[in-house]
């Protein structure tokens, strides 16, 4: 086997939207040559069984070194389910440990870089909100063209279409107002101009 290119990424393998959040993984899978992507362990590709299954259904070539090149789909499905379960267990243990530490009065976090961490968190939140708005604003515009203009009506119509907010909860009128306000302040989000 000849390695054509190496991609390195430090990002969570959580969620079915991994390709949206993981630029290096997207680049590796988008290569024009149909060479397989090789990972040491399956959970380095993703800890989401549906994502792994989707790659297999789309016949995206990948090899998991610890399982070998001849790993069959059944085995990959099993390991993907185990990786997803492990992700959930790690999350639960971490949350429980942090909650336990918090109840003992321990101050959590690194107080030396709070401003930097907060700024980075805001930047990421804004980027994610803009991406979500780009998705939902055309749907809101379509609903408005059908005659529904109240915030409550928009929220009901979005929920009826199965559109959920960025936290995967039903939409509320206030969220519609935020997205519409963003579109008015920044028309580029819906393809308009200043």
């Amino acid at each position: 086997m000849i390695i054509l290119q190496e991609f390195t990424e430090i990002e969570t393998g959580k969620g079915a939207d991994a390709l949206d959040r993981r630029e290096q993984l997207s680049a590796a899978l988008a290569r024009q040559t149909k060479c397989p992507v090789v990972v040491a362990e399956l959970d380095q590709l993703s800890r989401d069984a549906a994502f792994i299954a989707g790659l297999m259904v789309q016949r995206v070539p990948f090899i998991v070194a610890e399982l070998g090149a001849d790993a069959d789909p059944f085995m990959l499905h099993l390991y993907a389910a185990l990786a997803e379960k492990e992700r959930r267990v790690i999350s639960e243990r971490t949350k429980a440990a942090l909650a336990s530490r918090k109840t003992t009065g321990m101050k959590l976090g690194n107080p030396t870089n709070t401003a930097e961490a907060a700024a980075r968190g805001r930047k990421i939140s804004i980027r994610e909100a803009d991406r979500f708005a780009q998705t939902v604003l055309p749907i809101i515009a379509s609903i408005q063209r059908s005659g529904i203009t109240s915030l409550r009506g928009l929220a009901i119509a979005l929920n009826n279409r199965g559109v959920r907010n960025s936290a995967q909860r039903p939409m509320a009128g206030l969220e519609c107002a935020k997205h519409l306000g963003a579109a008015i302040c920044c028309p580029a989000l819906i393809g308009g101009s200043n």
Side-chain angles (χ1 to χ4, degrees):
M1 179 180 299
I2 298 171
I3 297 175
L4 298 178
Q5 191 171 355
E6 185 176 322
F7 298 87
T8 303
E9 185 169 63
I10 302 171
E11 179 65 51
T12 181
K14 174 182 175 184
D17 64 341
L19 290 177
D20 295 335
R21 293 180 289 106
R22 299 175 65 191
E23 294 175 14
Q24 293 294 308
L25 177 60
S26 294
L29 294 175
R31 290 186 47 80
Q32 295 301 320
T33 58
K34 284 297 174 186
C35 299
V37 171
V38 180
V39 293
E41 300 173 355
L42 188 64
D43 58 4
Q44 292 175 337
L45 188 57
S46 179
R47 286 187 183 259
D48 185 281
F51 180 80
I52 297 293
L55 290 178
M56 291 168 30
V57 166
Q58 295 172 18
R59 300 197 182 283
V60 174
F62 65 91
I63 296 173
V64 180
E66 78 172 350
L67 302 177
D70 60 343
D72 66 0
F74 176 72
M75 191 157 77
L76 290 171
H77 279 290
L78 284 176
Y79 275 87
L82 288 171
E84 186 172 311
K85 173 70 174 173
E86 183 181 19
R87 180 192 80 214
R88 200 173 309 118
V89 169
I90 290 169
S91 174
E92 289 167 1
R93 278 196 316 248
T94 302
K95 287 176 185 174
L98 289 172
S100 172
R101 292 290 182 119
K102 207 171 189 179
T103 60
T104 64
M106 178 177 270
K107 187 170 174 101
L108 302 174
N110 181 354
T112 62
N113 71 343
T114 53
E116 179 187 333
R120 194 176 321 142
R122 278 190 298 278
K123 187 176 180 181
I124 291 169
S125 293
I126 289 168
R127 186 176 64 230
E128 293 297 321
D130 287 349
R131 186 174 2 170
F132 182 75
Q134 287 175 341
T135 303
V136 79
L137 282 171
I139 300 169
I140 290 175
S142 169
I143 294 168
Q144 286 177 319
R145 283 192 298 274
S146 75
I148 299 171
T149 56
S150 74
L151 295 176
R152 184 172 172 4
L154 289 170
I156 290 169
L158 287 167
N159 291 327
N160 288 341
R161 291 183 181 198
V163 176
R164 296 290 181 248
N165 66 18
S166 56
Q168 298 304 312
R169 294 188 191 107
M171 294 288 279
L174 183 57
E175 289 167 313
C176 295
K178 284 192 288 189
H179 293 305
L180 291 171
I184 292 166
C185 296
C186 185
L189 287 175
I190 56 171
S193 59
N194 289 333

